Amino acid sequence: MPSSTRLLPLYLIACLFALIGLGSLWYGLGKPVHLPDAASPTHKLQCASYTPFDKDQSPFDHPFRLRPARMDADLALLAERFECIRTYSMTGLEAIPGLARKHGLKVMLGAWVNANPVDTDKEVDALIASANANPDVVSAVIVGNEALLRKEVTGDRLAGLIARVKSQVKVPVTYADVWEFWLQHPQIAPEVDFLTIHLLPYWEDDPRGIDDALAHVADVRRQFGARFAPKDILIGETGWPSEGRQRETATPSRANEARFIRGFVALAEANGWRYNLIEAFDQPWKRASEGAVGGYWGLYDADRQDKGVLEGPVSNLPYWPQWWLAGVLLFAATLLLAGRPGNRHAATLLPLLAALGAASLGLWGELVRTNARFTGEWVWAGWLAGLNLVVLAHGALALAARGGWRERLFAWLERHARWWLLAAGFAAAVSMLAMVFDPRYRSFPTAALVLPAVVYLARPVAAPRAEIALLALIVGAGIAPQLFIEGVNNVQAWGWAVVSAAMVAALWRSLRKNQEVPSR
């Protein structure tokens, strides 16, 4: 066995390269991106969607109580950059016109239309009353939002509601929905004073990547302008998510959100379009129904902190120094646990393994921070993080010159290695089934399984053959279908496919072990 003195230079060089790689990863994710500004204290934008919920609130709370102080502070903040706000419901928002007046904002007031006629009538009556009581503040009223998309009303029913409101208010009346639904329900356009269309390239049935998104918006806006002239068109919702899973080529990120919003504002101003940006603040409650991506369309985060979307440099990962520091600490802890490497080969691999573990656990932690919604998801995420720590310890000690307590710990981990592999295979199989049969609102769990896949591919362990074969079959069979579903241009899907293939290979190698463990 080479002496520790002879291994030290190689070991230190490997540590240096591993730390450089770890730092490059986090800086690459978090480095500031510079783009032309869209807004400034002297250049206000037109309008932004506003829902008055704190990060611990949702419209489904019982009892439903909004916080007047929150709404007052929110409108004061929005008045610094916008000329108006758009609301979606009258329930609990009776104070909005008065607060808007206080802060010099106009309001496009919305009534929530749904399948319950009693609730809808209450919303419409409140809308009419507020519009008539606040003509100096209410610039337009919006009778329903995406009610046709949700199939909660018929086109004829909606047209009747719009006519009812028009007969009782003096401000312009409109309805808001995804642009295709205006084409599918032609009876609506004649009833409104102007059309309010939603253009969200990320959510299109054929998602548009950030490079094509603005061209798509411009194309649809011009088509509507020509088709429905002389009625005006309001782009009532447009924006880009800052977090969440990739859809084909559409990738959420803060930089992409800033790029889209700033580019759109420039395009709208050049063409004289009316617009409303979605949305003022991140809304975590939306993640329950729309996946993680639903909660991150805000220009400000849920704590009302500027995300850098409108002006100045923007970072996809503002907390990257904290993740880098956590990674360095885990890297050091792994090397401390392992102690002296066992040979020249291990002297190179041990720091690289420690860096891989630190990186994958950090990436998993960041994904969980933004994605986890329910107790079950937090438990699942914690279980996978714990599994990764066990696998990291197992792999690190396998490369170490063990003795004493390290040898005893490694012996225990080695005796139970089949369970670590089975747990990783089970997690991969469950995740693959989810990504094939229910993928729309799920993020790719690549970071949680890359370490077990690499460790047990490089160092196979014996495990029960029947169970391992079944897990390998499930994971392997899902690779092609999930790529077909996601599209071959989805980089995140390819990352998951590669890790899944590595996991299948690790499971297959365990079947090839000479020492077989009988099925139970």
Side-chain angles (χ1 to χ4, degrees), residues 271-285:
N271 288 276
W273 298 339
R274 296 172 60 204
Y275 65 84
N276 171 77
L277 302 178
I278 184 165
E279 57 191 322
F281 304 107
D282 284 346
Q283 297 292 307
W285 63 270

Side-chain angles (χ1 to χ4, degrees), residues 66-206:
L66 296 177
R67 297 165 182 160
R70 164 54 62 205
M71 292 189 284
D72 189 21
D74 285 348
L75 267 59
L77 179 60
L78 293 176
E80 296 175 2
R81 285 178 164 170
F82 290 92
E83 296 173 348
C84 94
I85 59 170
R86 175 191 168 184
T87 63
Y88 290 78
S89 173
M90 296 303 301
T91 304
L93 275 71
E94 295 83 2
I96 286 293
L99 292 172
R101 182 181 294 110
K102 173 183 175 181
H103 296 293
L105 287 163
K106 297 292 186 181
V107 182
M108 287 193 290
L109 209 58
W112 190 258
V113 172
N114 62 23
N116 186 319
V118 175
D119 290 345
T120 296
D121 285 344
K122 288 180 180 178
E123 285 275 327
V124 168
D125 289 342
L127 179 75
I128 293 169
S130 185
N132 289 332
N134 301 280
D136 60 320
V137 173
V138 178
S139 60
V141 294
I142 304 174
V143 185
N145 179 74
E146 297 186 353
L148 295 174
L149 180 150
R150 298 191 306 274
K151 297 181 172 60
E152 294 195 14
V153 295
T154 64
D156 292 339
R157 160 72 170 155
L158 182 61
L161 288 171
I162 294 169
R164 170 183 160 192
V165 174
K166 281 187 69 174
S167 69
Q168 298 182 59
V169 301
K170 296 180 180 180
V171 297
V173 179
T174 186
Y175 164 71
D177 213 324
V178 176
W179 62 273
E180 294 102 326
F181 287 85
W182 285 96
L183 305 179
Q184 295 173 21
H185 298 272
Q187 69 269 47
I188 304 301
E191 299 298 329
V192 298
D193 293 306
F194 62 92
L195 284 72
T196 300
I197 63 173
H198 293 174
L199 279 165
L200 302 167
Y202 174 87
W203 278 129
E204 294 279 354
D205 291 337
D206 179 18

Side-chain angles (χ1 to χ4, degrees), residues 17 33 98 149 281-282 377 426 447:
F17 276 100
V33 177
L149 180 150
F281 304 107
D282 284 346
E377 291 182 343
F426 173 77

Side-chain angles (χ1 to χ4, degrees), residues 302-342:
D303 293 313
R304 276 50 180 177
Q305 298 300 305
D306 190 352
K307 290 164 63 176
V309 174
L310 297 175
E311 62 177 322
V314 58
S315 169
N316 285 330
L317 191 61
Y319 308 112
W320 74 265
Q322 290 92 321
W323 283 118
W324 172 78
L325 178 59
V328 170
L329 292 175
L330 181 56
F331 174 84
T334 302
L335 298 186
L336 183 63
L337 172 71
R340 184 165 56 90

